[in-house]
């Protein structure tokens, strides 16, 4: 008896919070998605009308494509972080200092980063265009106002923002590898490439898989930087699913539709997580020691 | 005890905690004044009032007020609000007024969240017409017609309170009244030998001369979208006429009216002529405005709420403030518009929440606030209130007096399109404006999307 009570007591606070702040709101969002509701008046049950409208909504698909592009981009940039981590974990001078430098963007809030990059991308007074003009480009692009460039322009601060986080994870994983393995490989005549790809990478594969899920799903639900920097514009050209949800619910006063978008996003994230876990699943994890 | 019995208990506890979290601050009617929010330092002034007195007029009352004039971006307005609150609390020692201050866009979002959970502040700010409608339909705002019969009778400029009326009842009392001139930098105009245009042909000459000399003619921050809507509305007004524009917005006339389509075309012509500062679609209104304030752009179209920055605001160099003039949007040759018709109308107004526990006290505070605002906003902030202004007795900046006179001469004032329309149609309008300026849609598509959105809202 006492044992079970104790377990319940310890679990309760976290359970209450998770239920109240996550699972119950999710259930409510799912319900709102099936209604027509402006957030104030009565809710009208309309079944799956919101979802069928969603499937025909070209702006929604555009924002979904942008979210996927961002997710793909984030996964590719993991490669870059991994290379940096590999270099840092080797015996190079100043690795400690560099690691701290890479971590700084992560310590800034997204809004601060957005403000910073807004100044950099400013079409006339920005650092970037000032440099381009002084290099002789007469008519540099207006980055955040250019519908064909804006999405890629925003990717850069996102890449920069998360660099520290992933480099730190990889660095910690790489430092966990016993140095005896590296020494043994070197005695056997392996060069630096072989040590990195044949010894180190297989050993941190589990960590890499986790970061892929984190990066992919994190990108699908990405919101803050885009909201502050462009608010999804111009003309929805940097709209992602989460910002579209916000616009529908809080700007167009259509909570029902916004909830449907939100619920759809949840499902997409769950499916993506499951697919990635499946695709990267291996029967036996490699262990040398 | 088995697991099955524990689960429901945990569930119920979880729910009640979640609900309690949502319900925080619901019964503010008898909340203690000690928990005053930041910003109202004088909130505790009433704490010394006798608490045990049985008379109802001495009952301690807390009125929650939410407004959108933060100290940073609306310094003058913020100062007056605090001053009025302090005066009111001094006169009514049993009343405490708690403020919550948010920036414009955040304010709008918070209003929606609070409405959804029926937790609106006792007194707050709202916009007119289309914005107001869902709140009225949801029965969240109290009618304030009785206030219009009291001390405030005949104090308002005609046409201002009407914008807040739905089905014959008035749901808010306006504070501001605005028209939208084009401000221009006299120094830049002098330098290139230009004068304020009165016809659209002259205006285009001005644009041409300025671009040839490498000066951005017009400062615009169209990330916020309503800023670009002002330009479209004026062109539509001057080409198709005020009536056609007003009818199109209410859905009586199609946006495919030849004049309205022509207006959309003119917008794109201006874009082609590089009339607007570079990258305008990616800049916020504040960023666009700074191009004008730092002398890089020659013209800036904005409501008269911007006046303090060109007259009394000490943070802006005197030299610049002295060089700001304004002109009325020029007439278009062959167009049906009149140079004295304006885009503008009442800005924010004060509402009283229907389910407020202190409705009567809140109403009398609103009455007091509107009256004092009318007196103080003129002299201290230099904005134009919705109540009538007596210019003879006070010293005012010339720019202010000129605009006030223009306002009195106005033949018609068309309310901002995004405020007039219902929320979903307004969102379409704003998106289409950005697309039009970005040349992502043709004028015909622009008209089509408007018709569709407005029809869907009816």
């Amino acid at each position: 008896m006492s044992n079970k009570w104790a377990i319940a007591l310890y679990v309760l606070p976290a359970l209450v919070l998770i239920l109240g702040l996550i699972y119950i709101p999710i259930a409510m969002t799912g319900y709102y998605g099936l209604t027509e509701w402006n957030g104030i008046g009565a809710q009208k049950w309309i079944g799956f009308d919101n979802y069928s409208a969603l499937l025909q909504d070209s702006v929604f698909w555009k924002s979904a494509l942008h979210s996927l592009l961002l997710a793909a981009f984030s996964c590719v940039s993991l490669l870059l972080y991994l290379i940096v981590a590999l270099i840092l974990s080797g015996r190079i001078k100043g690795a400690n200092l560099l690691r701290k430098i890479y971590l700084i963007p992560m310590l800034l809030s997204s809004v601060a980063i957005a403000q910073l990059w807004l100044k950099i991308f400013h079409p006339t007074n920005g650092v970037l265009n000032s440099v381009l003009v002084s290099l002789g480009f007469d008519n540099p692009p207006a980055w955040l106002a250019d519908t064909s460039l804006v999405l890629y322009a925003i990717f850069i601060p996102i890449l920069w923002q998360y660099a520290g986080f992933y480099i730190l994870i990889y660095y910690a994983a790489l430092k966990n590898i016993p140095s005896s393995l590296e020494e043994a490989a070197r005695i056997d005549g392996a060069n630096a490439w072989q040590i990195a790809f044949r010894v180190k990478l297989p050993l941190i594969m589990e960590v890499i898989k986790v970061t892929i899920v984190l990066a992919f799903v994190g990108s699908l639900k990405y919101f803050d930087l885009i909201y502050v920097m462009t608010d999804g514009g111009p003309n929805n050209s940097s709209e992602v699913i989460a910002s579209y949800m916000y616009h529908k619910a809080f700007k167009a006063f259509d909570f029902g539709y916004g909830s449907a978008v939100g619920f759809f996003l949840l499902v997409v994230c769950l499916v993506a997580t499951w697919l990635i876990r499946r695709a990267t699943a291996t029967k036996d994890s490699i262990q040398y020691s | 005890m088995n697991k099955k019995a524990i689960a429901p208990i945990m569930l119920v506890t979880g729910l009640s905690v979640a609900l309690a979290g949502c319900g925080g601050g619901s019964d503010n009617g008898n909340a203690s004044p000690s928990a005053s929010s930041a910003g109202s330092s004088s909130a505790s002034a009433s704490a010394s009032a006798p608490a045990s007195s049985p008379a109802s007029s001495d009952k301690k009352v807390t009125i929650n007020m939410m407004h959108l004039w933060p100290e940073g971006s609306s310094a003058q307005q913020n100062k007056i609000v605090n001053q009025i609150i302090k005066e009111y609390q001094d006169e009514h020692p049993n009343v405490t007024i708690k403020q919550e201050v948010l920036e414009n866009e955040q304010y709008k979002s918070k209003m929606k969240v609070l409405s959804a959970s029926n937790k609106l502040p006792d007194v707050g700010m709202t916009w007119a017409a289309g914005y107001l409608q869902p709140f009225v339909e949801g029965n969240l705002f109290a009618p304030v017609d009785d206030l219009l019969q009291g001390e405030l009778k005949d104090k308002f400029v005609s046409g201002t309170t009407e914008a807040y009326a739905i089905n014959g009842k008035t749901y808010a009392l306006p504070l501001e009244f605005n028209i939208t001139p084009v401000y221009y930098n006299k120094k830049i105009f002098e330098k290139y030998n230009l004068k304020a245009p009165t016809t659209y042909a002259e205006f285009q000459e001005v644009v041409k001369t300025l671009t040839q000399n490498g000066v951005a003619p017009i400062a615009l921050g169209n990330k916020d979208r309503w800023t670009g809507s002002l330009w479209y509305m004026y062109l539509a007004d001057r080409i198709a006429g005020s009536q056609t524009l007003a009818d199109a917005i209410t859905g009586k006339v199609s946006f495919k009216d030849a004049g309205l389509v022509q207006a959309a075309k003119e917008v794109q012509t201006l874009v082609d002529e590089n009339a607007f500062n570079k990258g305008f679609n990616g800049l916020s209104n504040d960023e666009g405005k700074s191009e004008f304030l730092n002398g890089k752009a020659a013209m800036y179209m904005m409501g008269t709420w911007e006046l303090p920055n060109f007259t009394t605001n000490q943070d802006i160099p005197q030299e610049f403030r002295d060089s700001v003039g304004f002109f009325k949007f020029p007439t278009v040759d062959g167009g049906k518009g009149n140079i004295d018709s304006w885009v503008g109308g009442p800005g924010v107004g004060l509402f009283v929440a229907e389910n407020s526990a202190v409705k009567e006290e809140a109403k009398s505070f609103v009455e007091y606030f509107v009256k004092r605002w009318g007196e103080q906003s003129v002299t201290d902030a230099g904005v134009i209130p919705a109540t009538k202004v007596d210019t003879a007795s006070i010293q005012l900046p010339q720019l202010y007096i000129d605009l006030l006179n223009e306002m009195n001469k106005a033949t018609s004032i068309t309310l901002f399109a995004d405020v007039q329309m219902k929320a979903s149609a307004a969102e379409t309008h704003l998106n289409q404006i950005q697309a039009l300026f970005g040349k992502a849609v043709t004028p015909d598509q622009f008209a089509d999307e408007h018709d569709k959105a407005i029809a869907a809202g009816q």
Side-chain angles (χ1 to χ4, degrees):
Chain A
M1 158 105 183
S2 65
N3 201 5
K4 274 182 184 164
W5 275 110
I7 292 171
L9 197 67
Y10 283 119
V11 168
L12 194 65
L15 185 76
V16 163
L17 284 177
I18 287 183
L19 276 180
L21 297 177
I22 298 180
Y23 290 106
I24 293 172
I26 285 177
M28 282 159 74
T29 306
Y31 169 71
Y32 294 154
L34 302 173
T35 64
E36 188 185 321
W37 186 37
N38 66 6
I40 296 177
Q43 295 167 17
K44 195 176 125 204
W45 177 267
I46 54 167
F48 285 91
D49 284 8
N50 279 332
Y51 289 91
S52 62
L54 196 65
L55 295 177
Q56 289 160 21
D57 184 343
S58 63
V59 179
F60 171 74
W61 287 113
K62 200 169 161 186
S63 56
L65 176 70
H66 294 158
S67 285
L68 274 177
L69 272 175
L70 176 60
F73 170 81
S74 303
C75 290
V76 172
S77 56
L78 285 179
L79 209 63
L80 188 72
Y81 304 145
L82 187 59
I83 293 170
V84 175
L86 276 170
I87 294 171
L88 282 183
S89 70
R91 290 186 200 86
I92 66 158
K93 265 190 189 152
N96 249 332
L97 181 68
L98 283 172
R99 217 177 66 221
K100 287 181 181 103
I101 290 174
Y102 291 132
L103 198 63
I104 288 173
M106 209 187 92
L107 305 177
L108 298 174
S109 82
S110 286
V111 177
I113 291 176
Q115 291 296 340
L116 179 70
W117 283 86
L118 274 175
K119 306 274 181 298
I120 292 175
F121 281 131
H122 192 286
T124 46
N125 312 327
V127 179
L128 184 60
N129 276 4
S130 303
V131 170
L132 285 176
V133 167
S134 68
L135 287 177
F137 293 95
D138 284 338
N139 198 11
W143 304 105
L144 298 179
D146 190 324
T147 47
S148 55
L149 282 177
V150 57
L151 195 63
Y152 306 101
I154 287 189
F155 284 172
I156 293 168
I158 297 176
L159 173 89
W160 184 76
Q161 179 183 17
Y162 284 101
F165 177 67
Y166 289 109
I167 289 174
L168 194 71
I169 292 182
Y170 288 144
Y171 180 82
L174 288 168
K175 277 290 169 194
N176 258 340
I177 299 172
S179 56
S180 55
L181 292 178
E182 196 181 332
E183 280 156 21
R186 191 165 292 133
I187 290 166
D188 287 345
N191 61 24
W193 281 109
Q194 283 167 324
I195 291 173
F197 284 100
R198 297 280 170 83
V199 179
K200 287 181 174 176
L201 283 190
L203 280 169
I204 63 163
M205 217 34 167
E206 284 305 312
V207 175
I208 292 176
K209 283 179 200 166
V210 171
T211 57
I212 290 175
V213 174
L214 279 180
F216 199 88
V217 175
S219 309
L220 283 181
K221 60 188 175 74
Y222 199 75
F223 175 74
D224 37 13
L225 212 61
I226 290 175
Y227 173 67
V228 181
M229 283 181 76
T230 64
D231 202 9
N235 318 329
N236 307 110
S237 48
S238 59
E239 196 89 86
V240 291
I241 300 179
S243 68
Y244 189 60
M245 168 183 76
Y246 178 83
H247 282 141
K248 279 293 170 192
F250 289 96
K251 292 273 163 83
F253 246 137
D254 197 344
F255 271 73
Y257 197 75
S259 301
V261 175
F263 202 74
F264 191 88
L265 177 60
L266 173 79
V267 173
V268 170
C269 287
L270 285 177
V271 170
T273 311
W274 181 72
L275 281 178
I276 295 171
R277 297 300 293 177
R278 244 182 87 102
T280 55
T282 41
K283 286 218 175 65
D284 40 10
S285 61
I286 305 155
Q287 280 186 339
Y288 287 120
S289 53
Chain B
M1 182 162 242
N2 60 20
K3 272 183 195 160
K4 273 181 189 163
I6 297 176
I9 295 172
M10 291 196 294
L11 194 67
V12 168
T13 327
L15 272 170
S16 58
V17 169
L19 291 176
C22 296
S26 57
D27 45 1
N28 285 314
N30 42 17
S32 93
S34 60
S36 85
S37 61
S40 62
S41 53
S42 54
S44 55
S46 68
S48 56
S52 55
S53 170
S56 67
S57 65
D58 286 343
K59 197 181 73 182
K60 273 199 189 177
V61 165
T62 303
I63 300 173
N64 290 296
M65 180 190 188
M66 205 162 97
H67 71 83
L68 44 77
W69 289 319
E71 213 177 331
S73 54
S74 306
Q76 313 287 84
Q77 283 96 329
N78 184 286
K79 214 169 74 189
I80 298 176
V81 171
N82 279 306
Q83 211 172 318
I84 296 177
I85 288 177
K86 189 173 178 308
E87 280 174 25
Y88 191 78
Q89 288 181 152
D90 287 347
E91 284 177 33
H92 304 79
N94 62 320
V95 177
T96 305
I97 294 163
K98 280 195 206 170
Q99 297 182 64
E100 185 173 357
V101 192
L102 295 140
E103 174 274 335
N104 192 32
E105 295 300 316
Q106 285 163 10
Y107 183 89
K108 285 182 184 168
S109 299
K110 179 135 193 184
M111 278 290 285
K112 285 169 196 175
V113 174
L114 291 176
S115 310
S117 52
N118 215 349
K119 294 283 182 298
L120 284 177
D122 303 309
V123 175
M125 286 180 179
T126 176
W127 286 264
Y131 179 88
L132 184 66
Q133 200 163 359
F135 297 96
V136 172
E137 279 169 5
N139 219 7
L140 293 172
F141 291 174
V144 287
D145 293 286
D146 44 338
L147 295 182
L148 286 174
Q149 298 310 318
E151 230 183 309
L152 292 171
K153 195 175 182 187
D154 297 327
K155 284 273 175 22
F156 288 99
V157 178
S158 70
T160 51
T161 51
E162 283 82 346
Y164 297 85
I166 290 174
N167 298 333
K169 282 185 185 160
T170 313
Y171 288 92
L173 297 182
L175 293 175
E176 307 168 300
F177 192 42
N178 299 295
I179 51 174
T180 313
V182 182
Y183 303 100
Y184 71 102
N185 189 324
K186 288 186 209 159
K187 286 227 178 83
I188 300 178
F189 269 53
E190 257 166 48
K191 189 173 170 193
Y192 300 109
N193 224 351
L194 299 165
K195 60 184 180 58
T198 52
T199 68
Y200 195 65
E202 281 173 24
F203 176 76
Q204 280 184 313
E205 272 310 307
V206 169
V207 167
K208 210 167 139 193
T209 313
L210 290 170
T211 41
Q212 276 166 0
N213 288 290
V215 179
I218 302 162
L220 174 69
N222 205 29
K223 188 166 104 180
D224 294 351
R225 307 174 298 174
W226 55 267
T227 42
S229 170
L230 298 176
W231 283 93
Y232 170 75
M233 282 186 75
Y234 264 120
L235 282 164
D237 180 278
R238 295 295 188 260
I239 297 171
S242 314
Q243 196 55 45
T244 313
L245 175 62
D247 286 347
I249 291 170
T250 50
K252 284 183 211 141
V253 175
S254 163
F255 267 88
K256 283 189 214 107
D257 175 275
L260 294 175
V261 174
Q262 182 61 32
K265 274 188 195 140
E266 287 300 336
V267 166
Q268 296 195 325
T269 314
L270 284 176
V271 172
D272 286 338
E273 287 168 351
N274 290 323
F276 303 101
N277 52 310
K278 183 170 177 166
F280 56 84
N281 254 353
L283 300 177
S284 69
N285 178 37
D286 283 338
E287 288 170 304
K289 181 167 77 187
S290 70
E291 299 285 295
F292 181 66
L293 292 179
N294 64 25
K296 283 191 176 168
M299 295 177 270
Y300 177 56
M301 183 196 277
M302 195 41 59
T304 39
W305 59 77
E306 208 55 68
L307 269 173
N309 284 337
F310 307 139
T311 52
T312 53
N313 189 343
Q314 301 293 335
D315 295 339
I316 292 172
Q318 177 80 43
E319 200 193 346
F320 177 80
R321 281 183 277 150
D322 288 343
S323 68
V324 176
F326 77 93
F327 60 83
K328 304 182 238 184
F329 197 91
T331 48
V332 177
D333 214 19
K336 293 179 198 149
N338 177 330
I339 196 151
D340 280 319
S341 83
W342 296 84
V343 171
V348 290
L350 286 179
F351 70 82
V352 173
E354 174 69 28
N355 67 344
S356 162
V358 289
K359 209 162 137 191
E360 287 315 309
E361 288 86 349
K363 272 189 180 174
S364 64
F365 171 64
V366 165
E367 182 176 39
Y368 182 89
F369 192 98
V370 171
K371 199 176 77 188
R372 293 294 293 145
W373 175 264
E375 293 154 13
Q376 298 215 337
S377 62
V378 180
T379 45
D380 294 0
V383 295
I384 301 179
T387 39
K388 289 170 188 160
V389 180
D390 175 20
T391 47
S393 58
I394 27 179
Q395 186 75 34
L396 291 164
Q398 195 56 43
L399 194 66
Y400 184 95
I401 295 174
D402 289 346
L403 275 164
L404 198 62
N405 289 338
E406 290 296 345
M407 196 184 260
N408 293 332
K409 270 198 322 197
T411 52
S412 78
I413 295 178
T414 310
L415 186 59
F416 307 107
D418 62 314
V419 176
Q420 270 195 70
M421 294 177 185
K422 287 186 179 175
S424 60
E427 190 63 13
T428 307
H429 166 68
L430 294 171
N431 283 337
Q432 285 297 312
I433 284 288
Q434 206 179 43
L436 183 72
F437 274 77
K439 304 197 76 182
V441 292
T442 65
D444 288 316
Q445 286 167 327
F446 176 82
D448 267 343
E449 291 294 326
H450 273 80
D451 283 346
K452 255 192 270 171
I454 288 169
Q458 277 167 352

